[in-house]
């Protein structure tokens, strides 16, 4: 009696397993448990875990904090739009605004230092995508997400938007500079 | 009350069709295929635009076409076809009349009106919000209204399906338990009911928001509830296409499940665990804790994964047992070598199974791991994964079933049988390449839903490495191959259904029972006193050793790929 006909035994849950099925179920279950334990394991021993720190905020409040940082730590500007490049002190709170269609301001961080990066959108959903590291985080309006981040290698990185946010989505890209720490 | 019950027995397959059900199965299948045609043309436009060397459409058209492509394929093609499968699994396999055909027609027309309304809204140009339609980006109210109407229609159709099960049970049209394929269809329908409930919870307020009755919808709340709907809707497909695998194994090989208990329990696992597993879409979102993410993805998702791993063994295992019992009992793989590779129902089904498992399954688990998700979230890896599950898995399985349905349901011969032989390979391999190259590009960071990876017009553009462009080019070439395969399918099925040679069988009789009850069918077999055991087939106590070896190859690839990704993750910047 095939799969398109009623089973021969009325009570299907008493039908025995073949050895091949039993063996496979045990193996598959063990593997599922390994995958299960990998996540808590990485929280303890791994270094790459997305932060759980987030606060509700408003566009006005978030922009005010970003503006204060820009006023204090801008070191130069880039492009014809004169986008400020901000070099905050290591360990500081750093603000990155996502809005149609730019990341503001441009950040310059020091290699090996740790920063508290606050990311929020002031309008629609955006996607923070750091290239070529390929770290990808969803950015919501109204949720200020604090990610503690340690750049490991100097260089010029890109931040691109990878959540569809309208017609000029493909222009929503910016830079992130990682420089060697200043000699004391 | 007199019940009009016209049955016909298909002379070539022995299947019994209730005529009102038959008409509904046909029309739902046809509506599905029309959606596939529209979605397929759009697919070609999307592919040609994402091919950096071609970039066919301007951005506004690209996002419009991408939105319509997603909805026509993931929602309209698949769900229309699934409703056809539900009616088939209930009325034909249980040999009973369809409950309330009139209501089923109301459901059908609601779905048609919904699908057209939604497409009109998208093509008007003010609803390019993608399949996910994340707020606060808004669409025209008709966009949401179309989806709601379609969902209500699908819900009504599910209840007609459940009603048909009740009819079969009370009129005793089958013996004992329902067949495994029907059981799988029940799983799909149960999942569909709470999927649609979740859809209503999110789409109705969003519709009210779009007309100005609700002032604010929280984006995180939207994503959380939307995925309870969006993820589960894909789990309906998994339950449906796994049922189709079992059905084709039964039709082509006369295969029976190795153990009804194992296969059915695996379906039950889908019902129990998939809803919570939709949390894995929110792994990169702020405002949700790791505990919540791990709890919902780990136990729930891994038990659903376990279910798929079980089906991945039991379907080919059932085929192997059937083949070995037919005498193809030599060595590990004689059963597979001697399989009917020229039969598109089989080749399509087998490629669907292998592609779904290796490409869709493994990449899905990788994506659904809390930390690993960081390195692929919203990259083109994600559509790479779901083209493997939904297109190689579901669409190819449905295509394979269609080749069986044309002679039995539409009573037409295939117009181009030689083309059918090749079609599943062209389409299957094209889609597998398409998925793999997308995943490759995603691993290099190429974003999804993005008009131009060269960032034309951006003040501070990013330059992707040459390999990423190569991947996208290969993706497009594979996509074109898959489109050719899709066109071969459409030409053949549409041609056969309308112009194919009618199958005339001498002695074909229509069984009409105009009034009262149909006589209960006589048992086709006597229940054996002891459970059947598989005689002397197999190797070393394993009835399906070849399948077991394939399963171990699968597991090895899975483990390797999983840990390679952890290795990759460990090289990115420390985060906490
Ligand atoms: Cu954006």
């Amino acid at each position: 009696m095939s799969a398109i006909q009623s089973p021969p035994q009325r009570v299907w849950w008493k039908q025995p397993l073949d050895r091949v099925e039993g063996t496979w179920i045990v193996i598959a279950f063990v593997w599922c448990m390994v995958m299960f334990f990998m996540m808590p394991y990485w929280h303890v021993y791994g270094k790459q875990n997305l932060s759980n720190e987030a606060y509700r905020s408003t566009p006005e409040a978030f922009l005010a904090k970003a503006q204060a940082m820009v006023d204090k730590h801008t070191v130069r500007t880039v492009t014809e739009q004169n986008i400020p490049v901000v070099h905050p002190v290591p360990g500081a709170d750093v603000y990155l605004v996502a809005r149609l269609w730019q990341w503001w301001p441009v950040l310059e961080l020091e290699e090996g230092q740790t920063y508290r990066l606050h990311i929020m959108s002031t309008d629609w959903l955006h996607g923070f995508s750091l290239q070529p590291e390929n770290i990808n985080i969803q950015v919501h309006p109204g949720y200020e997400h604090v990610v503690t981040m340690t750049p490991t290698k100097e260089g010029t990185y890109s931040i691109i938007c990878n959540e569809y946010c309208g017609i000029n989505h493909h222009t929503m890209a910016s830079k992130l500079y990682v420089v060697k720490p200043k000699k004391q | 009350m007199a019940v009009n019950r016209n049955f016909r027995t298909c002379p070539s397959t022995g299947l019994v069709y209730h005529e009102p059900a038959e008409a509904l199965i046909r029309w739902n299948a046809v509506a599905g295929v029309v959606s596939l045609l529209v979605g397929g043309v759009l697919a070609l436009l999307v592919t040609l635009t994402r091919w950096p060397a071609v970039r066919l459409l301007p951005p506004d058209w690209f996002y419009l076409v991408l939105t319509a492509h997603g909805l026509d394929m993931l929602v309209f093609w698949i769900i229309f076809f699934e409703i056809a499968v539900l009616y088939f699994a209930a009325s034909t396999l249980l040999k009973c009349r369809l409950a309330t055909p009139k209501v089923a027609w109301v459901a059908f027309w609601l779905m048609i009106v919904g699908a057209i309304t939604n497409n009109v809204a998208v093509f008007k140009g003010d609803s390019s919000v993608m399949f996910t339609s994340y707020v606060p980006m808004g669409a025209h109210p008709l966009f949401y209204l179309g989806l709601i109407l379609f969902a209500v229609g699908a819900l009504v159709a599910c209840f007609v399906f459940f009603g048909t099960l009740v009819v079969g049970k009370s009129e005793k049209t089958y013996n004992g338990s329902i067949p495994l394929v029907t059981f799988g269809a029940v799983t799909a329908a149960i999942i569909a009911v709470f999927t649609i409930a979740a859809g209503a919870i999110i789409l109705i307020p969003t519709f009210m928001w779009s007309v100005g009755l609700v002032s604010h919808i929280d984006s995180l709340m939207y994503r959380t509830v939307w995925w309870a709907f969006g993820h589960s809707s894909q789990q309906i497909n998994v339950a449906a296409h796994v049922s189709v695998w079992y059905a084709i194994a039964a039709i082509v090989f006369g295969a029976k499940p190795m153990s009804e208990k194992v296969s059915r329990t695996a379906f039950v696992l889908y019902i129990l665990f998939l809803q919570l597993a939709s949390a894995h879409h929110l792994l990169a979102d702020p405002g949700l804790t790791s505990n919540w993410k791990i709890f919902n993805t780990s136990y729930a998702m891994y038990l659903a994964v376990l279910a798929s791993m079980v089906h991945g063994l039991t379907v080919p295992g059932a085929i192997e047992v059937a083949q070995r019992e037919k005498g193809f009992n030599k060595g590990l793989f004689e059963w597979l070598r001697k399989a009917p590779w020229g039969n598109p129902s089989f080749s399509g089904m087998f490629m669907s199974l292998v592609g779904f498992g290796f490409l869709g399954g493994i990449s899905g688990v990788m994506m659904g791991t809390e930390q690993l998700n960081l390195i692929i979230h919203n990259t083109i890896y994600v559509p790479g994964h779901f083209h493997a599950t939904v297109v190689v898995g579901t669409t190819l399985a449905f295509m394979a079933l269609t080749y069986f349905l044309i002679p039995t349901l539409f009573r037409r011969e295939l117009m181009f049988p030689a083309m059918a032989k090749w079609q599943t390979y062209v389409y299957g391999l094209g889609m597998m390449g398409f998925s793999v190259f997308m995943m490759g590009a995603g691993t290099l960071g190429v974003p999804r839903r993005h008009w131009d990876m060269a960032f034309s017009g951006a003040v501070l553009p990013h330059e992707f490495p040459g390999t990423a462009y190569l991947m996208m080019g290969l993706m497009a070439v594979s996509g074109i191959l898959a489109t050719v395969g899709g066109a071969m399918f459409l030409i053949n099925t549409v041609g056969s259904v309308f112009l194919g040679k009618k199958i005339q069988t001498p002695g074909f009789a229509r069984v009409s029972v105009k009034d009262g009850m149909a006589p209960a069918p006589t048992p086709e077999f006597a229940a054996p006193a002891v459970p059947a055991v598989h005689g002397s087939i197999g190797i070393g106590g394993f009835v399906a050793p070849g399948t077991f070896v394939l399963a171990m190859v699968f597991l090895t690839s899975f483990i390797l790929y999983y840990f390679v990704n952890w290795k990759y993750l460990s090289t990115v910047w420390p985060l906490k």
Side-chain angles (χ1 to χ4, degrees):
Chain A
M1 299 314 104
S2 73
I4 56 171
Q5 287 157 315
S6 293
Q9 290 87 30
R10 295 184 72 94
V11 188
W12 56 263
W13 58 89
K14 285 196 184 153
Q15 201 186 338
L17 296 67
D18 271 312
R19 184 188 288 176
V20 61
E21 288 176 305
T23 316
W24 177 244
I25 291 169
V26 171
I27 295 171
F29 184 75
V30 168
W31 172 234
C32 288
M33 287 302 105
V34 171
M35 295 193 295
F36 174 104
F37 283 111
M38 268 312 285
M39 291 192 281
Y41 168 85
W42 202 262
H43 273 277
V44 179
Y45 297 103
K47 291 201 174 69
Q48 292 79 12
N49 288 289
L50 189 59
S51 97
N52 284 316
E53 197 178 344
Y55 307 95
R56 285 198 183 261
S57 184
T58 60
E60 298 73 34
F62 191 75
L63 278 170
K65 288 194 267 187
Q67 188 66 53
M69 174 191 73
V70 167
D71 292 343
K72 217 167 147 193
H73 296 293
T74 298
V75 287
R76 60 178 190 277
T77 60
V78 286
T79 77
E80 283 164 15
Q81 276 100 325
N82 290 324
I83 305 169
V85 178
V86 176
H87 188 119
V89 288
D93 288 275
V94 182
Y95 296 85
L96 182 64
V97 181
R99 61 191 177 196
L100 301 173
W101 284 283
Q102 64 166 193
W103 299 96
W104 188 86
V106 173
L107 302 174
E108 184 176 277
L109 308 178
E110 291 178 13
E111 181 186 293
Q113 302 291 347
T114 300
Y115 298 86
R116 283 168 52 79
L117 178 63
H118 297 237
I119 326 171
M120 194 181 100
S121 160
T122 55
D123 39 50
W124 292 353
L125 281 172
H126 295 285
F128 172 94
S129 178
L130 184 75
Q131 296 301 329
E133 280 295 292
N134 213 6
I135 292 171
N136 304 280
I137 300 167
Q138 190 79 29
V139 184
H140 282 259
Y143 289 86
E144 182 176 340
H145 195 184
V146 188
V147 181
T148 306
M149 194 178 261
T150 315
T152 51
K153 198 163 171 282
E154 70 166 324
T156 301
Y157 295 81
S158 295
I159 298 170
I160 62 174
C161 176
N162 68 4
E163 181 62 82
Y164 171 65
C165 57
I167 191 83
N168 282 329
H169 172 45
H170 65 278
T171 63
M172 190 167 164
S174 179
K175 293 292 167 201
L176 185 148
Y177 303 104
V178 178
V179 295
K180 288 262 188 243
K182 290 199 192 89
K183 300 267 156 33
Q184 296 300 322
Chain B
M1 195 185 80
V3 190
N4 184 5
R5 301 172 45 165
N6 297 305
F7 290 93
R8 84 170 168 84
T9 305
C10 171
S12 46
T13 56
L15 291 172
V16 175
Y17 288 96
H18 176 233
E19 285 188 342
E22 187 181 8
L24 279 153
I25 298 171
R26 285 184 183 186
W27 278 97
N28 277 286
V30 167
V33 170
V34 171
S35 315
L36 182 68
L37 170 65
V38 178
V41 172
L42 301 172
L44 187 62
L45 297 175
V46 171
T47 305
L48 290 176
T49 307
R50 286 234 62 175
W51 190 350
V54 178
R55 215 167 66 202
L56 184 71
L57 299 174
D60 51 344
W61 272 98
F62 170 71
Y63 294 122
L64 185 158
V65 163
L66 186 56
T67 304
H69 166 70
L71 289 157
D72 283 330
M73 292 304 213
L74 274 168
V75 181
F76 306 134
W77 142 245
I78 288 185
I79 295 182
F80 271 122
F81 200 91
E82 275 165 357
I83 300 299
V85 170
L86 287 187
Y87 292 159
F88 177 83
S91 99
T92 305
L93 296 186
L94 299 183
K95 303 180 191 67
C96 81
R97 67 182 171 86
L98 189 80
T100 62
K102 285 209 180 88
V103 177
W105 281 110
V106 172
F108 176 76
W109 287 109
L110 272 174
M111 288 165 73
I112 291 281
V113 170
I116 292 174
T117 307
N118 179 273
N119 265 288
V120 166
V122 174
F123 279 100
K124 270 179 18 180
D126 53 2
S127 300
S128 301
V129 291
M130 304 292 131
F131 176 64
T132 44
S133 54
Y134 291 138
V135 301
M137 181 183 287
H140 191 276
L142 283 180
F143 176 92
Y144 307 107
L145 188 65
L147 285 179
I148 292 168
L149 289 176
F150 185 85
V152 171
L155 188 63
V156 172
C158 287
F159 284 113
V160 173
F161 166 77
F162 291 128
T164 307
L165 297 181
V166 174
V167 168
K169 183 100 194 152
S170 64
E171 297 182 3
K172 296 190 175 53
T173 59
Y174 60 96
N175 298 289
S177 308
I178 55 174
L180 177 61
V181 172
T182 311
F183 192 89
V186 174
T187 309
I190 291 173
I191 298 170
V193 170
F194 56 67
T195 299
I196 294 169
I201 293 171
I202 199 64
L203 284 172
I204 292 172
T206 309
F207 169 70
M208 309 232 281
W209 169 75
S210 72
V211 295
L213 291 170
V214 169
S215 63
H216 173 75
I217 291 184
D218 181 82
S219 62
L220 183 60
M221 188 279 289
Y222 178 93
R223 267 172 62 81
T224 309
V225 185
W226 194 91
W227 279 112
F229 156 77
H231 177 73
S232 317
S233 69
Q234 302 319 309
Q235 216 71 21
I236 306 172
N237 304 341
V238 175
H241 78 227
V242 171
S243 306
V244 168
W245 293 345
Y246 280 113
I248 290 178
I251 289 160
V252 176
F253 299 95
K256 54 181 175 255
M258 286 197 281
S259 161
E260 295 275 354
K261 175 163 67 181
V262 171
S263 300
R264 288 176 196 234
T265 308
F267 275 121
V268 174
L269 287 179
Y270 281 152
I271 302 180
L272 295 178
F273 296 110
L274 75 296
Q275 191 76 340
L276 296 165
S278 35
H280 74 258
H281 290 274
L282 307 166
L283 295 174
D285 287 53
L288 300 163
T289 65
S290 292
N291 292 345
W292 186 85
K293 289 171 183 170
I294 293 181
F295 176 76
N296 284 305
T297 56
S298 60
Y299 94 94
M301 197 169 96
Y302 294 138
L303 290 173
V305 167
L306 181 68
S308 289
M309 287 174 79
V310 168
H311 289 305
L313 178 97
T314 56
V315 174
I319 293 175
E320 180 172 354
V321 169
Q323 286 280 77
R324 284 182 185 275
E325 282 176 344
K326 267 181 219 133
F328 301 117
N329 194 24
K330 270 201 256 60
L332 275 177
F333 294 115
E334 191 193 22
W335 63 278
L336 194 57
R337 275 201 317 278
K338 298 281 169 70
W341 292 101
N343 176 345
S345 290
F346 169 72
S347 61
M349 169 263 162
F350 203 80
M351 272 197 286
S352 158
L353 190 149
V354 172
F356 176 81
F358 276 86
L359 304 180
I362 294 178
S363 60
V365 171
M366 151 21 196
M367 285 177 28
T369 307
E370 194 209 359
Q371 295 95 342
L372 295 181
N373 182 69
L374 272 173
I375 51 178
I376 53 96
H377 180 76
N378 271 347
T379 67
I380 203 165
Y381 188 99
V382 179
H385 154 75
F386 72 68
H387 279 79
T389 57
V390 181
V391 189
V392 181
T394 308
T395 296
L396 193 55
F398 288 178
M399 285 177 171
L401 184 67
T402 304
Y403 287 116
F404 166 75
L405 289 179
I406 286 173
T408 175
L409 179 66
F410 291 92
R411 303 206 32 77
R412 301 274 191 168
E413 278 178 19
L414 265 189
M415 232 177 160
F416 310 106
M419 188 157 93
K421 257 185 208 174
W422 287 99
Q423 187 270 328
T424 50
Y425 292 101
V426 174
Y427 188 76
L429 295 174
M431 259 349 276
M432 286 185 201
F434 186 76
S435 307
V436 166
F437 294 124
M438 269 190 173
M439 290 181 209
T443 307
L444 296 167
V446 177
R448 71 188 295 196
R449 296 173 173 170
H450 198 274
W451 175 63
D452 179 20
M453 65 189 278
F455 302 89
S456 46
V459 253
L460 291 167
H462 173 64
E463 215 173 294
F464 278 105
T467 328
Y469 282 86
L470 176 69
M471 288 285 172
M472 295 299 280
L474 291 170
M475 172 205 81
V477 173
S478 317
I480 291 166
L481 187 67
T483 320
V484 171
M488 286 162 75
F489 173 79
L490 289 166
I491 291 167
N492 212 347
T493 49
V494 174
S496 307
V497 164
F498 292 105
L499 306 167
K501 191 163 157 264
K502 281 200 171 144
I503 297 174
Q504 306 286 2
T505 314
F508 167 68
R510 182 161 273 126
V511 183
S512 296
V513 185
K514 289 266 191 256
D515 296 290
M517 309 282 284
T522 45
E524 297 155 36
F525 50 88
V530 282
V533 284
H534 308 296
S536 53
I537 57 160
I539 299 170
F542 277 36
V543 286
T547 300
F548 191 75
V549 169
L550 294 178
M552 293 312 288
V553 171
F554 168 77
L555 185 74
T556 313
S557 331
F558 198 163
I559 294 173
L560 283 176
Y561 187 71
Y562 186 72
F563 284 111
V564 161
N565 277 288
W566 281 107
K567 181 84 189 111
Y568 172 22
L569 179 74
S570 72
T571 64
V572 308
W573 292 359
L575 300 167
K576 62 175 192 281

